Amino acid sequence: MAGPEMINGMHVISDGRQSLAEWLSNCRSCEETAAVFHLREKERPAGVIAEWIEAYRTAGLPLAKLRVNDRVDAAWLAGVKQVQLPQQGLSPATVKAGLTGMYVSVSVHSLTEALQAEQEGADEVLFGHVFSTDSKRGLASRGPEQLAEIAANLSIPVVAIGGITPENIADVRDAGAAGAAVLSGITSAPDPEEAVKSYQKRWGKNNENAD
């Protein structure tokens, strides 16, 4: 099936620490430039996730750009057609068999996991962590080399996550990623809109100079 609007580009992920008002403010700031907004609130129950989705909708933000992490039930009942499944969550096949038209991305950490996700019907994979990041302190980063291996062996989009900055985002693009997902680099920035633009500018800079 066709991917969601603007599948290539920046994915902005909620960080689990923001208030609803702060998250909505970030989404408004980045609406024109971000490709996907991930609602990734692992500590919040399904009822609260549903409230956040409704607030997002009421704010006039595009449901076509919203992706809900793990809570397939809250997403489906609210009319959201994208979900991000954790590695140990429901399989893509199970979700797509029961929820026609749902776009399913799966979080993966190796080529084996990525190939399995694709075989089970995933529309996309989110691979990380590519670079060192405070959220994964003490764990070795997987590097752009593993990202490139996965991108070369899959026929579905691979989005990179983990320690991505404007300074290294071109390495992610050159490795074959369809997009890059960022948390604190955008959500904690003084100006989230300018932060997204900075990432996107660096993403396209080398391509512009290639001719």
Side-chain angles (χ1 to χ4, degrees):
M1 63 177 289
E5 180 184 358
M6 294 175 62
I7 188 63
N8 295 334
M10 292 304 304
H11 292 226
V12 180
I13 303 183
S14 67
D15 62 11
R17 299 186 299 271
Q18 294 174 300
S19 67
L20 172 58
E22 289 170 332
W23 177 64
L24 290 176
S25 177
N26 272 358
C27 291
R28 291 190 191 97
S29 296
C30 303
E31 179 185 351
E32 293 186 5
T33 46
V36 181
F37 293 113
H38 290 244
L39 182 53
R40 185 190 190 194
E41 298 293 312
K42 298 180 180 180
E43 303 303 319
R44 303 188 194 274
V48 174
I49 296 298
E51 291 173 4
W52 281 42
I53 295 171
E54 183 56 31
Y56 177 97
R57 185 205 311 273
T58 301
L61 291 158
L63 278 186
K65 287 190 176 185
L66 183 60
R67 182 175 300 178
V68 175
N69 183 278
D70 196 20
R71 297 313 305 237
V72 176
D73 49 353
W76 182 254
L77 291 173
V80 177
K81 293 301 180 71
Q82 297 187 56
V83 291
Q84 181 70 42
L85 301 179
Q87 178 58 39
Q88 301 302 322
L90 295 170
S91 73
T94 298
V95 173
K96 299 185 83 168
L99 306 178
T100 303
M102 184 66 81
Y103 185 90
V104 178
S105 177
V106 179
S107 298
V108 299
H109 309 93
S110 68
L111 176 59
T112 299
E113 291 178 0
L115 289 170
Q116 179 180 350
E118 181 176 39
Q119 184 178 22
E120 292 180 352
D123 297 296
E124 179 184 313
V125 296
L126 182 68
F127 171 73
H129 60 289
V130 178
F131 302 104
S132 297
T133 171
D134 286 344
S135 65
K136 302 290 185 181
R137 191 171 297 173
L139 297 177
S141 59
R142 294 177 172 88
E145 297 79 14
Q146 286 194 48
L147 172 63
E149 181 184 26
I150 290 174
N153 281 279
L154 266 64
S155 60
I156 57 177
V158 179
V159 174
I161 189 172
I164 298 171
T165 67
E167 290 71 31
N168 62 31
I169 195 170
D171 294 333
V172 167
R173 180 206 62 214
D174 293 345
V182 178
L183 285 82
S184 59
I186 293 172
T187 60
S188 297
D191 187 334
E193 181 179 12
E194 286 304 311
V196 172
K197 288 180 179 179
S198 176
Y199 276 97
Q200 289 189 323
K201 182 178 180 180
R202 296 295 186 93
W203 177 277
K205 186 175 182 179
N206 288 351
N207 283 346
E208 292 171 1
N209 296 334
D211 292 337

